């Protein structure tokens, strides 16, 4: 951490830019004349402008200046309380706040047990490997409390992370060590991108990103003659550089389109029978379903056209174009963030297998390519620093998107990955890093769920809606206010992250907070191991240095590394990973699936008996479709001006809002039906809630579809209401909190149905970034 005197001296002497990094790009920064300046890494060919959110965010009024405790919890003690999110806060000293929290943690730990504690922290908090909030909180709960109930999988890929081990094998290997952007630029003849590969997604990664290479790779491939075909309701889901053909399909219909393509390949004898026989299991079972022998409905192009909105002759033509080409099939995260999200992921693999392309350079199947910046790149050849979380003494867990179900239905059973599980009874939720009021669905339901708790604790740097619903709010530092090491297993640049500013107000590092809490629980030495932050950085760096030395490569000392602008690590060969090895020799390199091969039909999944996820890819139409009440499909996808909801108050994010609100996109013809013009404010609504948004009109979106990105901070017009209007444009007041299927219980937040109308009333003010007015009563 940078002390105030050092920070001031740096400002006075203008010592120059210091290296730093973030999930959205490596950069350098300095304070000059009291203002933060940032500039992208000098070797980045396509810098991400999200780094421009930092300057205005560093000292923004939304920052939390000191510990706060909710008045109702302070006066009445732990317990269920509908006033969460509606109550005022009382400022406390650090000692007072930590004393209260230490006693509450001890009460729950020693009473109900560590199985009554849920450890939140859903990733993305910092690119630094030591001040990684998820690692910090989990280590603390494991050491000081004996463990915690954890969550598994992610909101981005909850269904695919469960499905893929059954049918293909290792999820990390499929996404991170498979087809690379280098291969696409050199080898691919045609890339069929279901859901696209939007640059706003691949501009970010968990850890550091030193070079954004996706745009350049697609440009080079297109210039070489590679054809990109985009299957999406949104034309912007591939960049202009790809020169893509756009097939506008009905949201959620991709599985049917894939089946129509494969049906054409099979009936015209253009599928690779030899590949299917040697490398897959279950093709005959699926083929009977595809041809309609099991249910009387052939999954031909005409059938698919009626479901997808793509003409039958276009489907047939596409199938014929794919035959005999070095074809790559990609399926985006977005497709599996919906009802039956497992099906397009599975069917994408079947399509690539039918083409016989899996395992070839630039061909086959690469799930989620373009979804994040460390996909489609090489692995580093040495380990990057990792902070140990130690052992969790609690074995219980939930799928990450089922937190509201867990809090609302303790003791009830649910199905997950072939198991019948029981929701635990949680008394205390501890969140450090992440914002469930961004990534969870049906926020009004989430508010009710949080009201059931005894205690909700949050570490935050700013007044997110999650912080406003907490009982104890502890202010933590921003990445620019502390030192760390930035790293990513698929990016070669190891970055010394130098602090450039003093902490805001009384903010502390998560590590310092947990160390002091651990002391109150008798576990300080076990948690800290007697190390300062700098000593931890030296300790975490050592395995990287040792691996470099063992490989006979230059292995700079920590002091040398810390004085540098960053160190380039060696990377592994672009060898295609386990799918290439499997294709080359399936006997010597079987897949880590039950059969050792690609499973088009999975006996394991079939044995689970789940009607919403049978034993092979199946067309399962959505239960929730547009009707007279909610005639539009809303796509709630990722934003381009920030990472999820991070630094929504930053200048780059704010600049692209309209009248302070997030901007939705509609087709011009749909807007005319409702008297909506460019720049109007619209209201989107359904039975779960309503929100306001600005609107822009285009012909680059399918008719009947509205797009509103996630990440605008939840901002209720009247928090006292049960279903208040969100005036800022958070689409998760509208999305459904249901699982993808009983197999994976993944998030379905990508799609929902809504009504739209022009908003003609007086606009409510935006208050999301205004800190709550503290109570006059302050504790010492």
């Amino acid at each position: 951490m940078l002390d105030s005197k050092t920070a001031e001296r740096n400002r006075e002497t203008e010592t120059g830019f210091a290296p730093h990094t973030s999930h959205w790009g490596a950069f350098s920064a300095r304070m000059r004349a009291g203002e933060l300046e940032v500039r992208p890494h000098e070797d980045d060919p396509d810098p991400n402008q999200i780094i421009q959110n930092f300057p205005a965010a560093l000292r923004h009024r939304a920052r939390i200046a000191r510990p706060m405790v909710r008045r109702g919890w302070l006066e009445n003690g732990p317990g269920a309380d509908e006033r969460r999110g509606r109550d005022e806060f009382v400022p406390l000293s650090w000692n007072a706040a930590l004393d209260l929290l230490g006693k509450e943690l001890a009460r729950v730990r020693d009473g109900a047990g560590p199985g009554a504690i849920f450890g939140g922290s859903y990733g993305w908090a910092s690119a630094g490997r030591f001040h990684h909030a998820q690692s910090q909180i989990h280590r603390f709960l494991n050491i000081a409390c004996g463990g915690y109930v954890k969550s598994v999988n992610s909101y981005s890929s909850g269904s695919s992370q469960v499905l893929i081990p059954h049918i293909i094998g290792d999820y990390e290997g499929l996404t991170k060590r498979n087809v690379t952007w280098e291969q696409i630029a050199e080898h691919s003849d045609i890339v069929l991108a279901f859901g696209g590969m939007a640059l706003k997604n691949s501009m970010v990664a968990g850890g550091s990103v030193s070079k954004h290479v996706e745009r350049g790779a697609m440009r080079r491939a297109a210039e070489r003659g590679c054809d990109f075909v985009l299957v999406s309701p949104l034309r912007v889901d591939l960049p202009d550089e790809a020169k893509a053909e756009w097939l506008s399909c009905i949201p959620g219909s991709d599985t049917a389109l894939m089946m129509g393509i494969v049906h054409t390949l099979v009936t015209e004898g253009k599928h690779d029978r030899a590949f299917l026989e040697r490398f897959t299991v279950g093709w005959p079972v699926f083929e009977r379903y595809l041809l309609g022998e099991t249910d009387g409905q052939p999954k031909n192009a005409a059938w698919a056209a009626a479901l997808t909105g793509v003409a039958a002759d276009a489907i047939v033509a596409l199938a014929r174009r794919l035959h005999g080409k070095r074809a790559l099939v990609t399926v985006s995260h977005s497709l599996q963030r919906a009802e039956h999200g497992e099906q397009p992921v599975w069917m994408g693999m079947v399509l690539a297998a039918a083409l016989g392309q899996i395992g070839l350079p630039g061909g086959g199947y690469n799930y989620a390519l373009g979804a994040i910046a460390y996909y489609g790149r090489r692995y580093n050849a040495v380990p990057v620093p990792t902070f140990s979380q130690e052992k969790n003494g609690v074995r219980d867990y939930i799928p990450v998107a089922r937190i509201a179900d867990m809090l609302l239905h303790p003791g009830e059973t649910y199905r997950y990955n072939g198991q019948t599980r029981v929701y635990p009874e949680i008394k205390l939720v501890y969140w450090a890093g992440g914002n469930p009021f961004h990534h969870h669905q049906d926020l009004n339901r989430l508010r009710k769920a949080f009201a059931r708790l005894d205690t909700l604790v949050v570490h935050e740097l700013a007044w997110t809606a999650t912080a406003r619903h907490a009982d104890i709010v502890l202010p933590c530092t921003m990445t620019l206010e502390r030192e760390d090491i930035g790293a990513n297993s698929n990016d070669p640049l190891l970055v010394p992250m130098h602090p450039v500013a003093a902490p805001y107000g009384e903010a502390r590092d998560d590590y310092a907070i947990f160390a002091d809490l651990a002391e109150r629980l008798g576990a300080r030495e076990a948690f800290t191991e007697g190390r300062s932050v700098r000593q931890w950085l030296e300790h975490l760096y050592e395995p990287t240095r040792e691996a470099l030395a063992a490989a006979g490569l230059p292995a700079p000392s920590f002091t040398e590394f810390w004085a540098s602008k960053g160190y380039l690590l060696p990377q592994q060969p672009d060898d295609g990973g386990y799918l290439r090895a499997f294709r080359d020799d399936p006997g010597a390199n079987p897949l880590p699936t039950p059969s050792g091969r690609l499973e088009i039909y999975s006996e394991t999944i079939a044995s689970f008996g789940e009607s919403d996820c049978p034993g092979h890819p199946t067309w399962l139409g959505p239960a929730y479709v547009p009707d007279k009440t909610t005639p539009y499909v809303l796509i709630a996808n990722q934003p381009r001006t920030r990472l999820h909801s991070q630094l929504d108050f930053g200048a780059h994010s704010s600049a692209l809002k309209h009248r302070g609100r997030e901007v939705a996109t509609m087709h011009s013809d749909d807007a005319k039906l409702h008297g909506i013009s460019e720049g109007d404010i619209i209201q989107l609504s359904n039975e779960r809630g309503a929100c306001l948004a600005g609107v822009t009109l285009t012909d680059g979106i399918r008719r009947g579809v509205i797009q509103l990105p996630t990440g605008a901070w939840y901002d209720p017009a009247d928090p006292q209401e049960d279903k208040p209007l969100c005036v800022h444009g958070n689409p998760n007041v509208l999305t459904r909190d249901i699982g993808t299927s009983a197999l994976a219980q993944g998030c379905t937040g990508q799609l929902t149905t809504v009504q739209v109308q022009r908003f003609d009333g007086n606009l409510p003010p935006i208050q999301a970034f205004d800190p709550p007015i503290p109570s006059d009563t302050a504790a010492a």
Side-chain angles (χ1 to χ4, degrees):
M1 182 187 295
L2 190 70
D3 61 70
S4 299
K5 291 182 179 180
T6 303
E8 184 63 29
R9 183 166 60 250
N10 284 352
R11 287 195 291 269
E12 291 175 352
T13 58
E14 299 179 8
T15 54
F17 286 87
H20 213 79
T21 194
S22 67
H23 297 306
W24 46 90
F27 66 99
S28 56
R30 71 176 178 183
M31 296 296 296
R32 185 175 185 182
E35 299 294 328
L36 176 68
E37 296 179 4
V38 297
R39 63 186 184 189
H41 191 270
E42 57 191 9
D43 294 330
D44 192 342
D46 190 19
N48 191 338
Q49 292 303 305
I50 293 180
I51 64 172
Q52 298 303 329
N53 278 325
F54 275 123
L58 185 65
R59 295 293 181 260
H60 196 278
R61 68 182 186 281
R63 294 289 304 271
I64 302 173
R66 63 180 303 187
M68 295 282 219
V69 176
R70 187 175 62 82
R71 173 173 289 281
W73 191 92
L74 188 62
E75 294 179 346
N76 303 319
D81 194 341
E82 296 288 342
R83 292 167 61 188
R84 286 196 180 94
R86 310 173 189 188
D87 207 350
E88 61 183 6
F89 285 88
V90 178
L92 269 67
S93 69
W94 271 106
N95 280 337
L98 293 177
D99 285 346
L100 283 172
L101 178 52
K103 291 178 181 177
E104 174 62 359
L105 285 167
R107 180 188 74 87
V108 177
R109 178 195 65 186
D110 300 339
I117 300 172
F118 180 77
S121 184
Y122 175 68
W124 291 116
S126 171
R129 296 301 84 199
F130 175 66
H131 293 295
H132 178 240
Q134 191 173 81
S135 298
Q136 290 283 345
I137 185 175
H138 293 169
R139 177 183 174 88
F140 166 76
L141 292 174
N142 287 335
I143 291 174
C145 297
Y148 62 98
V149 174
K150 67 178 182 179
S151 61
V152 296
N153 308 323
S154 73
Y155 280 85
S156 295
S157 53
S159 64
S160 57
Q161 286 177 305
V162 176
L163 173 72
I164 283 171
H166 290 295
I167 66 167
I168 304 176
D170 177 53
Y171 178 88
E172 291 288 302
L174 176 68
T175 54
K176 288 187 176 182
R177 192 173 179 181
N178 187 0
V179 177
T180 62
W181 292 107
E182 296 169 87
Q183 293 176 34
I184 291 172
E186 184 177 351
H187 297 289
S188 301
D189 293 328
I190 185 168
V191 176
L192 180 54
F194 290 93
M197 296 181 287
L199 292 181
K200 64 182 175 60
N201 300 332
S202 59
M203 294 290 272
V204 303
S208 179
V209 187
S210 61
K211 292 183 180 181
H212 294 91
V213 302
E214 295 79 6
R215 189 193 306 273
M218 284 188 262
R219 181 180 60 249
R220 293 193 301 276
E223 290 173 348
R224 182 179 49 78
C226 175
D227 292 331
F228 287 85
V229 180
L230 167 65
V231 181
S232 171
L234 307 175
R235 187 163 55 198
V236 296
D237 277 341
L238 275 178
D240 293 342
E241 288 79 2
K243 300 178 182 178
E245 174 188 345
W246 179 33
L247 290 183
S248 172
C249 65
I250 294 172
S253 66
D254 302 80
T255 300
L257 179 58
M258 296 176 199
M259 289 180 174
I261 294 171
V262 176
H263 186 278
T264 301
L265 293 171
V266 170
T267 55
E268 295 188 0
K270 292 181 168 63
H271 60 309
D272 193 327
R273 296 184 184 88
F275 183 92
L276 292 170
E277 290 175 1
R278 186 180 186 195
F279 296 102
T280 75
V281 294
W283 170 257
V285 177
F286 175 75
E287 186 179 39
R288 289 194 293 273
Y289 168 77
L290 183 74
L291 298 177
E293 296 174 6
T294 56
D295 62 0
Q297 174 59 67
K299 313 307 180 296
N300 55 30
W303 167 84
L307 294 169
T308 65
V310 178
D313 57 354
I315 297 173
V316 171
L318 178 57
R320 292 169 178 168
R321 285 173 64 193
L322 292 167
H323 173 64
K325 301 285 183 63
R326 182 61 56 86
L328 174 65
V329 177
T330 69
V331 172
S332 69
H333 278 335
S334 60
L335 269 59
Q336 53 88 70
R337 285 172 40 88
E339 293 177 77
H340 315 304
E342 298 80 7
Q343 302 309 311
V345 177
W346 202 343
M347 191 60 213
M349 180 270 280
V350 174
L351 170 56
L355 292 168
Q357 295 287 293
I358 293 175
L360 294 174
Y365 184 51
N366 205 152
Y367 168 72
L369 184 66
I372 200 166
Y374 44 51
Y375 294 172
R377 304 187 185 220
R378 302 187 188 201
Y379 252 80
N380 291 337
V382 295
V384 297
T386 304
F387 186 50
S388 173
Q389 300 180 18
E390 299 301 330
K391 186 177 180 180
N392 189 347
V394 176
R395 299 184 65 182
D396 207 357
Y397 63 87
I398 61 165
V400 68
R402 302 273 60 81
I403 182 172
D405 283 352
M406 173 185 71
L407 298 179
L408 291 169
H409 303 291
E412 295 187 15
T413 62
Y414 67 100
R415 292 284 292 169
Y416 171 73
N417 204 12
Q419 305 172 21
T420 299
R421 301 186 57 82
V422 178
Y423 285 122
E425 184 171 356
I426 298 298
K427 300 294 185 181
L428 183 147
V429 168
Y430 203 139
W431 218 284
N435 177 15
F437 274 84
H438 156 70
H439 53 248
H440 200 71
Q441 284 61 63
D442 195 349
L443 295 184
N444 290 317
R445 185 171 187 260
L446 183 65
R447 296 173 78 204
K448 293 179 180 178
F450 277 162
R452 298 285 191 92
L453 290 167
D454 281 4
T455 303
L456 173 60
V457 186
V458 171
H459 291 197
E460 243 317 346
L461 61 87
W463 282 106
T464 63
T466 304
R468 294 174 192 269
H469 282 77
D471 300 306
I472 300 175
V473 181
L474 302 179
C476 61
T477 51
M478 184 185 288
T479 175
L480 287 163
E481 298 163 348
R482 59 193 183 223
E483 60 184 19
D484 211 329
I485 299 174
N488 172 348
S489 61
N490 289 71
D491 190 283
L493 186 65
L494 191 69
V495 183
M497 299 172 64
H498 290 262
V500 298
Y504 180 83
E506 298 179 15
R508 295 183 181 181
D509 296 344
D510 292 314
Y511 177 68
I513 297 170
F514 286 129
D516 285 350
L517 267 179
E519 182 172 6
R520 287 163 168 80
L521 295 169
R524 185 184 188 96
E525 182 64 25
F527 177 76
T528 68
E529 298 183 16
R531 295 190 180 99
S532 66
V533 171
R534 178 60 66 86
Q535 290 169 333
W536 268 112
L537 298 184
E538 294 176 359
H539 176 73
L540 298 182
Y541 174 77
E542 185 59 18
T544 304
R545 191 201 64 77
E546 290 178 349
L548 289 169
L553 298 170
S557 67
F558 178 82
T559 300
E560 292 170 324
F561 161 71
W562 195 250
S564 73
K565 291 183 179 181
Y567 186 79
L568 287 175
L569 302 176
Q571 293 198 291
Q572 297 179 12
D574 186 6
D575 61 4
Y578 72 84
L579 286 178
R580 179 85 56 81
F582 169 65
R583 184 186 183 101
D584 290 345
D585 190 342
N589 305 295
L591 298 181
T593 61
S595 65
R597 294 193 279 175
L598 297 165
E599 301 218 354
I600 294 174
Y601 175 84
S602 167
E603 291 187 359
T604 300
I605 293 176
S607 72
F608 296 159
E610 311 293 5
S611 61
D612 54 4
C613 191
H616 60 70
T618 305
W619 170 249
L620 301 168
Y624 302 101
V625 295
D627 56 25
K628 292 182 179 179
T629 304
T630 52
Y632 292 91
V633 174
L634 178 69
I635 296 177
N637 61 357
Q638 295 302 317
R640 61 190 176 95
T641 61
R642 58 187 172 265
L643 169 57
H644 296 305
S645 65
Q646 284 188 24
L647 307 185
D648 187 30
F649 50 87
H652 182 60
S653 179
S654 298
L656 294 183
K657 296 179 187 287
H658 177 61
R659 301 180 71 178
R661 278 145 249 274
E662 200 63 31
V663 177
T665 301
M666 290 183 67
H667 195 284
S668 303
D669 292 345
D670 288 333
K672 290 177 183 177
L673 298 176
H674 300 276
I676 294 171
S677 301
E678 178 75 23
D680 281 348
I681 301 297
I682 58 174
Q683 178 170 316
L684 301 169
S685 60
N686 57 27
E687 65 272 24
R688 286 169 297 284
C691 70
L692 301 182
V695 68
T696 188
L697 308 180
T698 181
D699 63 357
I701 188 171
R702 184 178 180 85
R703 288 196 59 178
V705 174
I706 300 172
Q707 177 262 337
L708 178 62
T710 59
W713 285 13
Y714 174 65
D715 191 2
D718 183 356
Q720 303 304 321
E721 294 182 1
D722 289 337
K723 291 186 178 182
L725 173 71
C726 175
V727 304
H728 194 201
N730 188 322
N732 277 329
V733 300
L734 305 163
T735 51
R736 291 179 176 85
D737 187 12
I738 57 174
T740 53
S741 76
L743 176 75
Q745 296 290 354
C747 162
T748 58
Q750 187 77 13
L751 304 176
T752 191
T753 52
V754 297
Q755 180 58 275
V756 62
Q757 65 186 55
R758 189 179 66 209
F759 185 82
D760 294 323
N762 293 326
L763 277 178
I766 302 296
Q767 302 179 82
F769 308 138
D770 296 333
I773 299 174
S775 168
D776 292 337
T777 303

